[in-house]
Amino acid sequence: MSVPLLNDRDVEFLLYEFLDTEKLLERPRYSEHSREIFDASLRTAKTIAEKYFANHLVEGDENEPTLENGIVKMIPETKVAWDAFANAGFLAAHQDYEEGGMQMPEVIFRMVMAYVNAANIGTAAYPFVATGSANLIRAFGSVEQKAKFLTLIMDGRSNGTMCLTEPGQGSALGDITTMAAPADDGTYRVFGQKMFISCADHDIAGNVIHMVLAKIKGAPPGVKGISLFIVPKFLVNDDGSPGERNDVVVAGLNHKMGYRNTTNAALNFGEKDGAIGYLVGEANKGLGYMFQMMNEARIGVALGAAAIAYQGFNHSLDYARQRPQGRLASCKDQLSPQVMLVEHADVRRLLLAQKAYSEGSLAMCLFGSSLFENQNSAPTQELRTRNTQLLDLLTPVIKSWPSKYGCISNDMAIQILGGAGYTREYPVEQLYRDQRLNPIHEGAEAIHGLDLLGRKLSLYGGAGYQFFKEDVAQDIAKAKDFEPIKNLAGKLENAMDVLEKTTQSLQQQMGVDIDRGLANATVYLDMFGRIVGAWIWLKQGIIAAEALSSSLHESDEHFYRGKLQAANYYIEWELPAIEQYAELLQAGNSVPFEMQDEWF
Amino acid sequence: MSVPLLNDRDVEFLLYEFLDTEKLLERPRYSEHSREIFDASLRTAKTIAEKYFANHLVEGDENEPTLENGIVKMIPETKVAWDAFANAGFLAAHQDYEEGGMQMPEVIFRMVMAYVNAANIGTAAYPFVATGSANLIRAFGSVEQKAKFLTLIMDGRSNGTMCLTEPGQGSALGDITTMAAPADDGTYRVFGQKMFISCADHDIAGNVIHMVLAKIKGAPPGVKGISLFIVPKFLVNDDGSPGERNDVVVAGLNHKMGYRNTTNAALNFGEKDGAIGYLVGEANKGLGYMFQMMNEARIGVALGAAAIAYQGFNHSLDYARQRPQGRLASCKDQLSPQVMLVEHADVRRLLLAQKAYSEGSLAMCLFGSSLFENQNSAPTQELRTRNTQLLDLLTPVIKSWPSKYGCISNDMAIQILGGAGYTREYPVEQLYRDQRLNPIHEGAEAIHGLDLLGRKLSLYGGAGYQFFKEDVAQDIAKAKDFEPIKNLAGKLENAMDVLEKTTQSLQQQMGVDIDRGLANATVYLDMFGRIVGAWIWLKQGIIAAEALSSSLHESDEHFYRGKLQAANYYIEWELPAIEQYAELLQAGNSVPFEMQDEWF
């Protein structure tokens, strides 16, 4: 395989230089781990990704799952990949030793996922959704539920799903109509239809554990009346084997532009007597439980975006280095040999932008994962709380920035390949199609804008936003010590002032008229995202500048120079757009808001 | 069909208000035409588009052409569409009455094409390429060649192709290696391979007339040694019927992300004794001939981009008006009915941006077509020359702006539909895939940046650029008379100053170091494009402001208010990005230029 999935030097950099992952070994939970164990896990993940995921990227795209007599059929390579991932223990990576898990730190697990995501996002979705479901049961399920269902997912005998969306409500969960009626035996009977359910059915594992949001009869209206249920496809026998078929069926498959090897279906619950469901935790608290897992799921989606962008970058770089094309303008000799694409300045611009987006996205997601890790395992409650509050603020950005710029990055990869990139002979067109889902699922872009501006900024009395400003200021101060990035630090400092002014202005506008004040929230999200992107690149720039101040092996010198150049690119070329946004936002520009339906 | 192909009120506006198409009737060439005839042609085009093109949009996408024993097979609806277009006389639209043509003005023909493009770009490519080939023969072919080949295309018995690209050269035409050897009878024998040839073969017409660039043995190296040949698939009998098979075969089909009903193939010329070719015009002048048709072809590609964007806009508007989703933030009653998507401010922003891109693209292309018309039929030589020079300057922009923003526009259409937009149940995902070709073919984006900055600005001693500044200044002066757009005029005026300073700076930088000075040409192209986009919208704004100053029917009032709002949107939201570009360009920012291969 000539084009690597990620860049192993960058993986090492992100885990052990950008993040101090070795420091986690000091925490009791990870005392039995070591850097060697981490690295061995990643080598295993990479091998599995190359061998069992990348091998059917195209085949899975060309042969999407089919529904025959109610049974979903998939290409057999999917099950082989699932089994390889399960057999490596990765489905149980998060879980405790005593539960049979690996107690793997979040950032290591996400890097495992980054490899399989880069290899084949359509197949990687199965373990992604499964581990999310497992974590939900682990966090909120009863001891019995864990014994019965969690173990099934951990060893690969079942996958899991997240059943939130319904045909009639899209992003507004308060409007769901799926109902749950209590039965005499303490279980529930679930009735309703769920839509756009990823990995909803398949033939790769013996069972499917659906995590279903539904309303118990008589529950309060809106989001406060939502409960969470476990609804298995097959009822589970005491030995864990699949028993009687539950009353849940695939109503139809969705045929998508990309992510095609991921089954996506409408599910009907309770066409007969009702699907047997088990209430998780307390009634009416389901949405809260789901949201506590949402940060993890959202970072997970963004990590997929990062990995797809990374693959596009790697493929277009490989092509640009090998494809002769034309000459530079300064060359007047038409008989001289053609130069490689990479020698054209605009191709380098497209590559450098992709580097900034893809490496920046991976760094941003891992940074988010480290906050997630810390909210659970940091040594003090104060630190855990701080990390939760910062993560809650940043989650809309960490979800959205890689998803948005991942699409732009994959678009650039196609452009470098030109006509060849538009054909299915190269993977860049599939990556472009796969990527397009990411700004839609786990909350469409606009939802995250509203969440950030309307909710997260002021959550915990604004503590998360305060921590963010403190942390950025600390890195700015540090960066000022290094000549090569001093000026970048200054630019980010100015950007933070602009952000603060804009935030204050918008909060004031929202106080006057909430709809008008929130109208441009998506633009605010992009502005915030560019600043977080610049911060992530400044952080990398600091490490690179420090490393370059001493003598290095040639390959390391190249690596750090590349990081520095990408930091320069991002902060000089992409950050300044915030000035224009700030002007529109601070002025409360209402041109889109005031557009009327009948004027279109 | 609930979603219209274009917007008939806008079509009327563009032809008769934005452009003064009726004024063409004063020209001798169009003296036998009338507005009624124009409108009747457009009604015919719309009917054909709805009935014979739109009907197989999805089918053509799902069943792309196949190659069986050297024969290309397509879905039969393609031939029906081709015949309907030919039978309406549209393949001969451009040609003179005495040649059996319609003497149709360019802008009317392009609007005809806009309808079929909007209905099905994959099928519309056949008449598009055919009419381009026909115009090439008409302009440069001999009387005998016209009699023999042109008539075949005009009545639909043959299509045509443009064979420029080869596997080894991509965008650099000087490097083509296809050879033509003179034969004793005055014809040539052509040997070589052409790549990415659209409509290269099919079963919709009896013959294919390939327009082939090749080098005659002993010709000068590079672009000055390129000649143009007619190479028919079947030699043509005296009665026009297909005779003996010529030595040109389909070497293989390209399988594309979109535009799937357009055959795209590699062609082998001269696997046996050489394909018989007929030299067009003089030897070694082929590239010049081709380039004289290029402006037309490039506007044609951009028009396709405009039409695909327009369809995405119409579909997402239709969906946004019918799909209930959530509530506004100001609504605290969770039991109140859901509002339609269009009531959410961010959806209106996405719709308004699409309106600005798609209507703006159609307007920009038609404006370009009017320059093309004028270069041929304006009453004085001075005017004809002026139009040529302005068109030459603007062609890179008219090609690139709709292609680039068309992609962004179709991306927004998907976003409005959310999960539904990512499925193949709605056409927006196909439109997104179809659109992605447009920034690649007929010159990739970077090529146009180099063309604009490196060549067109200084062509004719800079006359085209001078005319551009004069014309924009005139519209700015006009706009200042209207209160609702006065401020927009001021913003464009400032932008023109910024453009001028940036242009001067870049020309100076190019004088010092041509490679460095051209390094950011793509960014300059985008800057120029935003300014032309703003100008096109200011022009529309002037008409709208004038119309709104008197009393109007309600529907017209809505129409003009929409135009005004889109003009406001484009100039206030999209134009200001040029400030940031100007800073990078004027500073000669060399971050991408200085990036090194080994740093990636």
Side-chain angles (χ1 to χ4, degrees):
Chain A
M1 175 156 178
S2 67
V3 173
L5 293 176
L6 301 169
N7 169 348
D8 291 340
R9 179 65 185 88
D10 191 35
V11 169
E12 187 193 359
F13 169 83
L14 291 175
L15 287 177
Y16 302 115
E17 298 174 69
F18 174 75
L19 299 177
D20 188 1
T21 303
E22 280 183 280
K23 186 106 177 143
L24 293 178
L25 299 170
E26 296 169 10
R27 298 183 184 173
R29 183 170 177 83
Y30 303 121
S31 60
E32 292 182 35
H33 278 277
S34 66
R35 176 159 171 178
E36 287 68 34
I37 292 176
F38 294 161
D39 290 346
S41 296
L42 295 176
R43 276 196 304 276
T44 303
K46 187 181 160 192
T47 303
I48 288 174
E50 287 174 351
K51 210 164 162 184
Y52 302 112
F53 283 74
N55 66 329
H56 62 286
L57 175 72
V58 173
E59 204 186 337
D61 184 61
E62 290 178 350
N63 301 280
E64 60 190 338
T66 54
L67 183 63
E68 293 163 27
N69 302 322
I71 313 268
V72 173
K73 297 270 175 198
M74 316 186 55
I75 59 166
E77 289 84 349
T78 321
K79 180 173 167 49
V80 177
W82 167 267
D83 287 343
F85 194 89
N87 291 339
F90 290 141
L91 287 172
H94 281 119
Q95 317 302 334
D96 296 349
Y97 293 136
E98 60 187 31
E99 289 165 330
M102 297 172 88
Q103 283 191 201
M104 185 184 273
E106 180 72 9
V107 291
I108 300 296
F109 178 69
R110 289 300 154 197
M111 202 60 108
V112 165
M113 285 304 299
Y115 278 111
V116 292
N117 283 340
N120 188 336
I121 196 78
T123 298
Y126 294 90
F128 170 54
V129 178
T131 51
S133 310
N135 289 340
L136 201 49
I137 298 174
R138 178 176 172 241
F140 305 107
S142 65
V143 174
E144 295 74 28
Q145 286 169 346
K146 286 191 214 179
K148 192 159 194 177
F149 301 111
L150 181 55
T151 48
L152 288 185
I153 300 180
M154 281 169 62
D155 63 16
R157 280 178 291 165
S158 177
N159 84 326
T161 74
M162 305 285 207
C163 297
L164 288 74
T165 305
E166 297 182 5
Q169 58 55 256
S171 301
L173 286 172
D175 292 319
I176 64 168
T177 60
T178 296
M179 292 299 301
D184 296 337
D185 60 356
T187 64
Y188 288 77
R189 295 295 172 274
V190 178
F191 300 87
Q193 190 174 51
K194 293 290 177 176
M195 187 60 175
F196 294 130
I197 306 308
S198 286
C199 313
D201 205 31
H202 50 73
D203 51 13
I204 64 172
N207 208 345
V208 184
I209 311 291
H210 301 292
M211 305 302 294
V212 182
L213 293 184
K215 293 185 172 179
I216 297 172
K217 274 192 173 172
V223 295
K224 288 181 182 155
I226 297 176
S227 302
L228 175 64
F229 297 88
I230 294 172
V231 183
K233 174 180 169 185
F234 293 100
L235 301 181
V236 177
N237 295 327
D238 288 341
D239 64 354
S241 65
E244 205 179 324
R245 182 73 199 248
N246 202 353
D247 187 9
V248 46
V249 295
V250 175
L253 296 181
N254 295 306
H255 299 98
K256 307 185 298 302
M257 175 163 64
Y259 261 82
R260 288 199 182 178
N261 204 36
T262 306
T263 311
N264 189 281
L267 287 175
N268 281 353
F269 293 84
E271 285 186 348
K272 297 173 197 158
D273 303 330
I276 295 172
Y278 309 93
L279 178 67
V280 178
E282 291 178 44
N284 302 331
K285 296 205 168 163
L287 197 62
Y289 300 150
M290 201 55 106
F291 270 127
Q292 287 188 55
M293 287 297 110
M294 214 69 110
N295 286 343
E296 178 195 349
R298 287 176 168 170
I299 297 171
V301 164
L303 189 84
I308 300 171
Y310 219 122
Q311 264 295 282
F313 169 47
N314 286 351
H315 275 283
S316 59
L317 177 59
D318 183 66
Y319 189 88
R321 283 172 166 165
Q322 294 181 35
R323 165 79 186 184
Q325 174 72 68
R327 288 156 202 84
L328 301 187
S330 57
C331 170
K332 297 298 170 208
D333 177 8
Q334 295 201 48
L335 294 177
S336 65
Q338 295 179 312
V339 300
M340 295 301 155
L341 271 177
V342 72
E343 294 191 43
H344 293 285
D346 194 61
V347 172
R348 287 202 300 285
R349 179 182 66 85
L350 294 173
L351 288 168
L352 189 53
Q354 285 183 75
K355 183 178 167 76
Y357 300 142
S358 57
E359 292 180 14
S361 291
L362 186 54
M364 194 185 285
C365 290
L366 289 174
F367 176 72
S369 292
S370 77
L371 300 180
F372 187 83
E373 175 65 51
N374 290 337
Q375 85 170 343
N376 294 317
S377 73
T380 67
Q381 182 58 49
E382 190 191 340
L383 269 175
R384 291 193 290 273
T385 302
R386 189 184 198 280
N387 276 278
T388 297
Q389 295 180 345
L390 182 55
L391 177 60
D392 276 349
L393 175 80
L394 292 180
T395 296
V397 172
I398 297 175
K399 160 62 175 62
S400 303
W401 191 87
S403 299
K404 174 172 182 171
Y405 292 99
C407 289
I408 293 175
S409 196
N410 288 106
D411 175 84
M412 290 174 164
I414 291 179
Q415 194 66 20
I416 289 175
L417 272 74
Y422 194 66
T423 69
R424 308 200 296 276
E425 199 181 333
Y426 291 88
V428 289
E429 70 85 26
Q430 183 183 342
L431 296 170
Y432 179 74
R433 289 185 287 109
D434 285 348
Q435 185 71 282
R436 186 61 188 84
L437 179 60
N438 289 316
I440 297 172
H441 64 166
E442 280 299 335
E445 193 173 48
I447 300 294
H448 291 290
L450 295 172
D451 183 40
L452 176 65
L453 180 58
R455 187 166 163 269
K456 295 296 180 62
L457 272 175
S458 51
L459 198 64
Y460 313 118
Y465 180 52
Q466 198 54 42
F467 295 143
F468 167 68
K469 287 188 287 185
E470 285 171 20
D471 289 358
V472 175
Q474 206 177 348
D475 284 323
I476 288 171
K478 208 186 292 178
K480 284 185 175 169
D481 287 343
F482 296 97
E483 199 51 46
I485 51 167
K486 218 173 176 171
N487 67 322
L488 302 184
K491 285 176 200 281
L492 182 55
E493 194 165 34
N494 291 340
M496 290 300 288
D497 287 344
V498 172
L499 178 67
E500 177 60 18
K501 278 201 196 76
T502 307
T503 303
Q504 284 179 12
S505 164
L506 285 172
Q507 287 179 325
Q508 198 178 13
Q509 292 174 45
M510 284 157 59
V512 177
D513 180 340
I514 184 73
D515 295 330
R516 205 171 265 269
L518 281 173
N520 300 332
T522 309
V523 176
Y524 180 76
L525 175 70
D526 190 46
M527 177 181 184
F528 210 116
R530 283 175 191 254
I531 289 171
V532 175
W535 177 35
I536 293 293
W537 272 110
L538 188 73
K539 280 175 167 291
Q540 296 182 76
I542 293 169
I543 303 162
E546 192 162 14
L548 286 165
S549 65
S550 56
S551 72
L552 293 166
H553 284 292
E554 195 187 25
S555 69
D556 262 358
E557 168 145 2
H558 289 159
F559 175 77
Y560 290 118
R561 287 225 176 275
K563 283 287 180 193
L564 216 49
Q565 203 75 357
N568 262 284
Y569 169 78
Y570 195 77
I571 293 174
E572 292 187 9
W573 285 64
E574 305 266 340
L575 179 60
I578 68 155
E579 299 284 348
Q580 176 200 346
Y581 297 159
E583 205 171 301
L584 290 169
L585 291 168
Q586 289 178 25
N589 186 300
S590 59
V591 170
F593 183 79
E594 281 165 8
M595 182 70 186
Q596 319 250 320
D597 182 1
E598 55 277 18
W599 297 355
F600 281 116
Chain B
M1 176 156 177
S2 67
V3 174
L5 293 175
L6 301 169
N7 168 348
D8 292 341
R9 180 66 185 88
D10 191 35
V11 168
E12 187 193 359
F13 169 82
L14 291 175
L15 287 177
Y16 302 116
E17 299 174 69
F18 174 73
L19 298 177
D20 188 0
T21 302
E22 280 184 279
K23 184 105 177 146
L24 293 177
L25 299 170
E26 294 169 12
R27 297 182 185 174
R29 183 171 177 83
Y30 304 121
S31 60
E32 292 183 35
H33 278 276
S34 65
R35 177 160 170 176
E36 287 68 34
I37 293 176
F38 294 161
D39 291 345
S41 296
L42 294 176
R43 277 196 303 276
T44 302
K46 187 181 159 190
T47 303
I48 289 174
E50 288 174 350
K51 208 163 162 184
Y52 301 112
F53 283 73
N55 65 330
H56 62 286
L57 175 73
V58 173
E59 203 185 338
D61 184 61
E62 291 179 349
N63 302 278
E64 60 190 340
T66 55
L67 182 63
E68 293 163 26
N69 302 320
I71 313 266
V72 173
K73 297 270 175 199
M74 316 186 56
I75 59 166
E77 289 85 349
T78 322
K79 181 174 166 49
V80 177
W82 167 266
D83 288 344
F85 194 88
N87 292 339
F90 290 140
L91 288 171
H94 282 118
Q95 317 301 333
D96 296 349
Y97 292 137
E98 60 186 29
E99 289 166 329
M102 296 172 89
Q103 284 192 197
M104 185 184 272
E106 180 71 9
V107 290
I108 300 295
F109 178 68
R110 290 299 154 198
M111 202 59 108
V112 165
M113 286 303 300
Y115 277 112
V116 292
N117 284 340
N120 187 336
I121 196 78
T123 297
Y126 294 90
F128 170 55
V129 179
T131 50
S133 311
N135 288 340
L136 201 50
I137 298 174
R138 177 175 172 240
F140 305 108
S142 65
V143 174
E144 295 74 27
Q145 286 170 347
K146 287 190 214 178
K148 194 159 191 175
F149 301 111
L150 181 55
T151 49
L152 288 186
I153 301 181
M154 281 168 60
D155 64 15
R157 280 178 293 166
S158 177
N159 84 325
T161 75
M162 305 286 207
C163 296
L164 288 75
T165 305
E166 298 182 4
Q169 59 53 256
S171 301
L173 287 172
D175 292 319
I176 64 167
T177 60
T178 296
M179 292 298 303
D184 295 338
D185 61 355
T187 64
Y188 288 77
R189 296 295 172 275
V190 178
F191 300 87
Q193 189 174 52
K194 293 290 176 177
M195 188 59 176
F196 294 129
I197 307 307
S198 286
C199 313
D201 205 30
H202 50 74
D203 52 13
I204 64 171
N207 208 344
V208 185
I209 312 291
H210 301 292
M211 305 302 294
V212 182
L213 292 184
K215 292 184 173 179
I216 297 172
K217 275 191 172 171
V223 294
K224 288 181 182 154
I226 297 175
S227 302
L228 177 63
F229 296 88
I230 293 171
V231 183
K233 174 181 171 185
F234 292 101
L235 300 181
V236 176
N237 295 327
D238 288 341
D239 65 354
S241 64
E244 205 179 322
R245 182 72 198 250
N246 202 354
D247 188 8
V248 46
V249 295
V250 175
L253 297 181
N254 295 307
H255 299 98
K256 308 186 297 303
M257 175 163 62
Y259 260 81
R260 288 198 181 178
N261 204 35
T262 306
T263 311
N264 189 280
L267 287 175
N268 281 354
F269 293 84
E271 286 188 346
K272 298 173 194 157
D273 304 329
I276 294 172
Y278 309 94
L279 179 67
V280 177
E282 292 178 43
N284 302 331
K285 296 204 168 167
L287 197 62
Y289 300 151
M290 202 55 106
F291 270 126
Q292 287 188 53
M293 286 298 111
M294 215 69 109
N295 286 343
E296 179 195 348
R298 287 176 168 169
I299 297 172
V301 164
L303 188 84
I308 299 170
Y310 220 123
Q311 263 298 282
F313 169 48
N314 286 351
H315 275 284
S316 59
L317 177 59
D318 183 64
Y319 189 87
R321 283 172 166 164
Q322 293 181 36
R323 164 80 186 183
Q325 175 71 70
R327 287 157 203 83
L328 301 186
S330 58
C331 170
K332 298 296 170 209
D333 176 8
Q334 293 200 51
L335 294 178
S336 66
Q338 294 180 312
V339 300
M340 295 299 157
L341 272 176
V342 72
E343 294 190 44
H344 293 285
D346 194 62
V347 171
R348 286 202 300 285
R349 180 182 66 86
L350 294 172
L351 289 168
L352 189 54
Q354 285 184 74
K355 183 178 167 77
Y357 300 143
S358 57
E359 293 180 13
S361 290
L362 187 54
M364 193 185 287
C365 291
L366 289 175
F367 177 73
S369 292
S370 77
L371 299 180
F372 188 84
E373 175 66 52
N374 290 337
Q375 85 170 343
N376 294 316
S377 74
T380 67
Q381 182 58 48
E382 191 192 338
L383 269 175
R384 290 193 290 273
T385 302
R386 190 187 197 280
N387 276 279
T388 297
Q389 296 180 345
L390 182 55
L391 177 61
D392 277 349
L393 174 81
L394 292 181
T395 297
V397 171
I398 297 174
K399 159 63 175 60
S400 303
W401 191 87
S403 299
K404 175 172 182 169
Y405 292 98
C407 289
I408 294 174
S409 196
N410 288 108
D411 175 83
M412 290 174 164
I414 291 179
Q415 195 66 21
I416 289 174
L417 272 73
Y422 194 65
T423 69
R424 309 202 295 277
E425 199 182 332
Y426 292 87
V428 289
E429 70 84 27
Q430 182 182 344
L431 296 171
Y432 180 73
R433 288 186 287 109
D434 286 347
Q435 185 70 285
R436 187 61 189 83
L437 180 60
N438 290 316
I440 297 172
H441 65 166
E442 280 298 334
E445 192 173 49
I447 300 294
H448 291 290
L450 296 171
D451 183 40
L452 176 65
L453 180 59
R455 188 166 162 269
K456 294 296 181 60
L457 272 175
S458 51
L459 197 65
Y460 314 118
Y465 180 50
Q466 199 54 44
F467 295 143
F468 168 67
K469 288 188 287 186
E470 285 171 20
D471 289 359
V472 176
Q474 207 177 347
D475 283 323
I476 288 171
K478 209 186 292 179
K480 285 184 175 170
D481 288 342
F482 296 97
E483 199 52 47
I485 52 168
K486 217 172 175 172
N487 68 323
L488 302 183
K491 285 176 200 281
L492 182 56
E493 193 165 33
N494 291 341
M496 289 300 288
D497 286 345
V498 172
L499 177 68
E500 176 61 18
K501 280 201 195 75
T502 307
T503 303
Q504 285 179 13
S505 164
L506 285 172
Q507 287 180 325
Q508 198 179 12
Q509 293 175 45
M510 284 157 60
V512 177
D513 180 340
I514 183 73
D515 295 329
R516 206 172 265 270
L518 281 172
N520 300 333
T522 309
V523 176
Y524 180 76
L525 174 70
D526 190 46
M527 178 181 182
F528 210 116
R530 284 175 191 256
I531 288 171
V532 175
W535 177 34
I536 293 293
W537 271 110
L538 188 72
K539 279 174 169 292
Q540 296 182 76
I542 293 170
I543 303 163
E546 192 162 13
L548 286 165
S549 65
S550 56
S551 72
L552 293 166
H553 283 292
E554 195 187 26
S555 70
D556 261 359
E557 171 148 358
H558 288 158
F559 175 77
Y560 290 118
R561 288 227 176 272
K563 284 287 181 192
L564 217 50
Q565 203 75 359
N568 261 286
Y569 170 79
Y570 195 77
I571 293 173
E572 292 186 9
W573 284 64
E574 305 265 340
L575 180 61
I578 68 157
E579 299 284 348
Q580 176 200 348
Y581 297 159
E583 205 171 301
L584 291 169
L585 292 167
Q586 289 179 25
N589 186 301
S590 59
V591 170
F593 183 78
E594 281 165 8
M595 181 69 186
Q596 318 252 321
D597 182 0
E598 55 277 17
W599 297 355
F600 281 116

